[in-house]
Amino acid sequence: MKIFGYNITKEKRGVNYITPYSDALTFNGFSTLNGAMGISAVYRAVEIISDNCALLPIRISISSEKHKEYITNHPICIALKNNLLTQYNLIKLLIQSVLLKGNGFAYIERSENGDVLDLLFLDSNSVQIHYNKNNRDLYYTCNLFPIKKIEPCNMIHLVKNSYDGINGKSVISYASRSIEISNNTENSANNFFSNGCNLSGILTVQGQLSKEQRDAIKTSWNTAYTNGGSGLAILQGNMDYKPVQVSADDAQLIESRQYQISDIARFFGVSPVLLGDLTNSSYNTIEATQNQFLLHTLLPYITMIEQEFNRKLLKPSESNLSINFDETILLRTNKKEEAEYYSLLLDKGILCINEVRNKMDLSPIDGGDKHIIAYTDIKQNTINDNGKETDTK
């Protein structure tokens, strides 16, 4: 039995065996997943979200009362570097799977002491979710592993849209109607231009014609008035032509394709400007769009991954550690904003010069480890080791 795109078998001992969303989801005969990525707006939306999440550096830090220090030799860092996939490809595949199939899975391979050795990306079609609603028991099985039962602590499971928090629902399953309309619009445009932008119609001739005469007129018309012909047709005597196909202007073909970009962009939470629709864009619009994209589109996905990584990859004894994505790299696309951002942090004494240079991939300089606070009434203050301000006049 299939409900909301899921294959659900009969209950056994109180456990619902559920297969996550698969490629087979269709809407009125249209294969949503297989056909969706052939639509430029959908392809671009999936690419821009997954790409921007994947390019962010992953930082593992240890926090104390006085400072926060980044760790580069943690087993998680080594696992991400030694993965069969690069860190970029792993995150990209996980986000793509969430967008297109509703769930993103990665098996956590551990050593005997619980350290992470590797993260193995799993196609959601090969993973089965087993969830007992009564006692909230959850585990996974995968036909790629001999392990019969995979505990949640050993499975990265990313879910963006869900009705129960366990089974994810893809964006394209919500947007299936708009995607189907967009696909039909693309097919109409393809048919129109493949026919040389010509209209279909009926040639009417008064009197009776033999089959040979009808075939000769049809052949002559197609030769002159379709692809490869001169485009000039001569109607003889009592012949009359009546078009039966709506023209591109009458069907508002261009407007329909334009609207579909905006409609699909709404489902993915991406501005049409980022999908290539520059109709109402300007430099200021693009700058605001980038900030909006980071805040309203990327940040939910980033938070989803950070929380799942923190609760699954870190051991209970590592409660003072945290895994975070560095979103500041997205500011590098705008040099003015990047300069203003770091200048403010330097003026407030939040960062020192060498910390800023490190974030910009520059080598440290002598004397650049002091935190400086700028004031208008005195030249400058430095913060000493005890955290108290010291006048340096």
Side-chain angles (χ1 to χ4, degrees):
M1 181 173 63
K2 183 174 289 187
I3 300 178
F4 297 117
Y6 298 98
N7 295 321
I8 303 179
T9 62
K10 295 181 180 179
E11 271 196 17
K12 298 181 180 180
R13 299 181 183 178
V15 179
N16 291 331
Y17 291 84
I18 303 175
T19 301
Y21 174 83
S22 68
D23 296 2
L25 179 63
T26 59
F27 181 80
N28 290 343
F30 172 66
S31 179
T32 310
L33 180 57
N34 293 333
M37 289 297 281
I39 298 173
S40 60
V42 176
Y43 173 83
R44 186 56 188 153
V46 173
E47 284 292 292
I48 196 171
I49 294 174
S50 59
D51 277 341
N52 279 273
C53 289
L55 63 83
L56 298 178
I58 298 178
R59 313 287 191 192
I60 300 178
S61 59
I62 180 171
S63 300
S64 63
E65 295 180 357
K66 293 184 178 181
H67 68 283
K68 184 177 184 179
E69 181 181 351
Y70 291 115
I71 302 175
T72 58
N73 59 348
H74 192 277
I76 296 175
C77 299
I78 299 173
L80 290 173
K81 292 180 181 179
N82 295 337
N83 200 304
L84 177 65
L85 300 173
T86 63
Q87 176 183 307
Y88 170 86
N89 285 326
L90 175 64
I91 301 300
K92 181 179 175 68
L93 285 171
L94 285 171
I95 297 298
Q96 282 182 334
S97 185
V98 171
L99 289 167
L100 297 174
K101 300 182 180 181
N103 300 275
F105 295 103
Y107 175 71
I108 306 171
E109 186 178 346
R110 301 183 186 274
S111 63
E112 293 183 358
N113 63 355
D115 289 337
V116 177
L117 295 177
D118 203 354
L119 289 174
L120 304 177
F121 170 76
L122 301 176
D123 187 347
S124 63
N125 293 331
S126 65
V127 179
Q128 292 77 42
I129 304 173
H130 305 265
Y131 179 56
N132 190 320
K133 300 177 184 178
N134 299 326
N135 58 18
R136 298 171 60 86
D137 180 47
L138 172 67
Y139 67 93
Y140 307 87
T141 56
C142 178
N143 53 23
L144 301 178
F145 292 99
I147 304 175
K148 294 182 178 180
K149 184 176 180 180
I150 303 175
E151 298 295 335
C153 63
N154 293 323
M155 179 72 80
I156 294 293
H157 183 192
L158 301 181
V159 178
K160 177 65 168 58
N161 302 300
S162 176
Y163 292 119
D164 59 4
I166 303 297
N167 301 280
K169 208 168 161 52
S170 68
V171 175
I172 63 171
S173 66
Y174 290 107
S176 57
R177 187 181 297 272
S178 294
I179 292 174
E180 184 192 21
I181 294 174
S182 180
N183 183 70
N184 292 336
T185 303
E186 293 294 323
N187 289 337
S188 297
N190 179 67
N191 293 334
F192 179 74
F193 288 107
S194 64
N195 290 328
C197 305
N198 299 312
L199 303 178
S200 299
I202 299 175
L203 279 174
T204 304
V205 181
Q206 296 180 4
Q208 297 292 327
L209 296 176
S210 65
K211 183 179 183 305
E212 291 75 12
Q213 290 174 320
R214 292 196 303 269
D215 291 342
I217 293 174
K218 182 178 180 180
T219 302
S220 177
W221 178 273
N222 287 334
T223 302
Y225 205 56
T226 56
N227 291 338
S230 63
L232 179 62
I234 300 176
L235 301 181
Q236 299 181 11
N238 55 4
M239 297 179 64
D240 184 30
Y241 175 77
K242 294 181 181 180
V244 295
Q245 179 177 328
V246 180
S247 67
D249 290 336
D250 293 336
Q252 295 183 321
L253 185 61
I254 303 301
E255 291 81 357
S256 298
R257 299 182 74 189
Q258 197 76 20
Y259 170 76
Q260 289 306 315
I261 295 177
S262 300
D263 197 35
I264 291 173
R266 278 191 290 269
F267 276 104
F268 284 93
V270 178
S271 170
V273 174
L274 297 178
L275 300 186
D277 181 8
L278 305 179
T279 305
N280 299 314
S281 68
S282 64
Y283 179 78
N284 292 332
T285 304
I286 295 176
E287 182 177 347
T289 297
Q290 180 70 9
N291 293 331
Q292 184 183 26
F293 176 64
L294 173 60
L295 179 62
H296 298 294
T297 305
L298 293 185
L299 197 56
Y301 290 95
I302 293 171
T303 303
M304 172 184 65
I305 302 175
E306 287 179 342
Q307 292 183 356
E308 184 71 358
F309 276 19
N310 275 285
R311 74 185 188 124
K312 297 288 183 66
L313 300 184
L314 295 176
K315 296 185 291 186
S317 59
E318 299 175 323
S319 58
N320 60 334
L321 300 183
S322 62
I323 303 174
N324 301 100
F325 284 75
D326 185 6
E327 301 93 346
T328 59
I329 191 174
L330 296 177
L331 296 176
R332 295 185 180 184
T333 57
N334 190 318
K335 296 300 182 182
K336 181 180 178 181
E337 280 196 3
E338 184 181 9
E340 292 175 351
Y341 171 75
Y342 286 129
S343 295
L344 179 62
L345 295 181
L346 282 172
D347 291 342
K348 297 298 183 181
I350 299 174
L351 294 179
C352 66
I353 293 177
N354 280 342
E355 287 173 329
V356 174
R357 292 180 64 86
N358 180 56
K359 289 180 176 295
M360 300 179 67
D361 295 327
L362 298 174
S363 58
I365 60 174
D366 294 336
D369 293 324
K370 292 184 178 180
H371 291 74
I372 301 173
I373 299 179
Y375 287 97
T376 56
D377 55 342
I378 57 177
K379 293 183 179 179
Q380 66 179 12
N381 276 6
T382 61
I383 301 176
N384 62 18
D385 295 337
N386 296 324
K388 297 180 180 180
E389 297 176 4
T390 303
D391 192 355
T392 59
K393 293 192 297 181

